Amino acid sequence: EVQLVQSGAEVKKPGESLKISCKGSAYSFTSYWIGWVRQMPGKGLEWMGIIYPGDSDTRYSPSFQGQVTISADKSISTAYLQWSSLKASDTAMYYCASLSRGIAKEYYFDYWGQGTLVTVSS
Amino acid sequence: SYELTQPPSVSVSPGQTARITCSGDALPKKYAYWYQQKSGQAPVLVIYEDSKRPSGIPERFSGSSSGTMATLTISGAQVEDDADYYCYSTDSSGNLWMFGGGTKLTVL
């Protein structure tokens, strides 16, 4: 069964850096796009960006371009989401999810990680 | 910028049919996808490509799309269907993907 296991909850101060991870198993990690979704407290889901671990091709939502960096290490089947300088407004649950490609060549999230809660507070 | 619009809330009694809509200008040419998110849990795909149901999703969940509106229908809603539901799709270019604002379904 496909599994995506995310790193644990983080508590950070504004201005600090952070890198959270998402490890895939039981599927060909390099052959499927994997993405990140933000959910701020009490709010909806937001598409942040996706990466193709096979060649590290990365796409960002305009809302998140320049705010975060998505990367992957295919040797250990792990994707990452990182911040260089956190803000209080980055406080949220972050989900990773793998994408499947349908008949219309559209990509959609199918398998999800359990989420990583990031709290940024002074 | 492109948007997918959902009603904030829908309420039904157990056994009734719940319908959740999602409107977007590109939906006549792009598929809609639906996710269920129960409190404190990760989202789960319940409908893909407008009307297809992943394995393991109960038959009471169905989807349709007509013009600029996609609809998730839960026939005979159960208490366990009480959750937030999000539609997901892309703009006409296929480059900008997004979720709708979400609909809180209350079944009681």
Side-chain angles (χ1 to χ4, degrees):
Chain A
E1 180 186 349
V2 173
Q3 278 203 319
L4 295 170
V5 178
Q6 298 185 230
S7 50
E10 302 274 2
V11 179
K12 293 289 191 178
K13 290 181 167 47
E16 292 186 331
S17 62
L18 176 64
K19 191 173 188 177
I20 62 175
S21 66
C22 170
K23 183 173 176 59
S25 62
Y27 76 104
S28 178
F29 185 77
T30 55
S31 300
Y32 292 85
W33 290 83
I34 190 165
W36 291 93
V37 174
R38 183 175 79 174
Q39 188 166 39
M40 299 177 74
K43 302 298 184 183
L45 304 174
E46 298 176 89
W47 194 99
M48 300 179 71
I50 58 175
I51 186 167
Y52 189 75
D55 62 7
S56 294
D57 185 8
T58 308
R59 316 282 172 85
Y60 292 94
S61 162
S63 299
F64 292 94
Q65 180 82 48
Q67 308 304 307
V68 297
T69 301
I70 294 171
S71 61
D73 184 341
K74 60 186 179 183
S75 69
I76 55 172
S77 302
T78 300
Y80 301 97
L81 177 66
Q82 69 180 86
W83 296 259
S84 59
S85 181
L86 287 161
K87 302 184 286 286
S89 58
D90 292 317
T91 295
M93 180 71 81
Y94 293 88
Y95 293 100
C96 67
S98 64
L99 289 92
S100 284
R101 179 176 170 177
I103 57 173
K105 300 182 182 180
E106 293 182 355
Y107 291 89
Y108 58 95
F109 297 111
D110 50 5
Y111 296 97
W112 293 69
Q114 82 277 18
T116 295
L117 181 63
V118 174
T119 303
V120 184
S121 174
S122 55
Chain B
S1 62
Y2 189 61
E3 288 185 345
L4 296 171
T5 303
Q6 299 181 233
S9 63
V10 169
S11 183
V12 298
S13 299
Q16 290 187 325
T17 296
R19 294 181 179 85
I20 299 171
T21 59
C22 173
S23 64
D25 289 341
L27 289 177
K29 294 186 176 181
K30 301 296 183 183
Y31 283 117
Y33 305 80
W34 291 93
Y35 294 88
Q36 175 195 66
Q37 187 181 33
K38 295 183 179 180
S39 180
Q41 298 183 20
V44 172
L45 179 70
V46 294
I47 293 290
Y48 66 102
E49 294 174 353
D50 287 348
S51 60
K52 298 176 182 176
R53 200 172 48 248
S55 63
I57 301 302
E59 290 184 9
R60 63 180 180 272
F61 288 88
S62 63
S64 62
S65 187
S66 178
T68 59
M69 185 170 289
T71 303
L72 173 68
T73 300
I74 307 172
S75 303
Q78 306 295 307
V79 172
E80 59 262 35
D81 301 330
D82 193 296
D84 294 322
Y85 291 84
Y86 296 90
C87 63
Y88 173 78
S89 190
T90 182
D91 67 353
S92 57
S93 73
N95 294 322
L96 188 64
W97 286 86
M98 67 193 64
F99 294 92
T103 299
K104 169 62 181 172
L105 174 66
T106 301
V107 182
L108 61 81

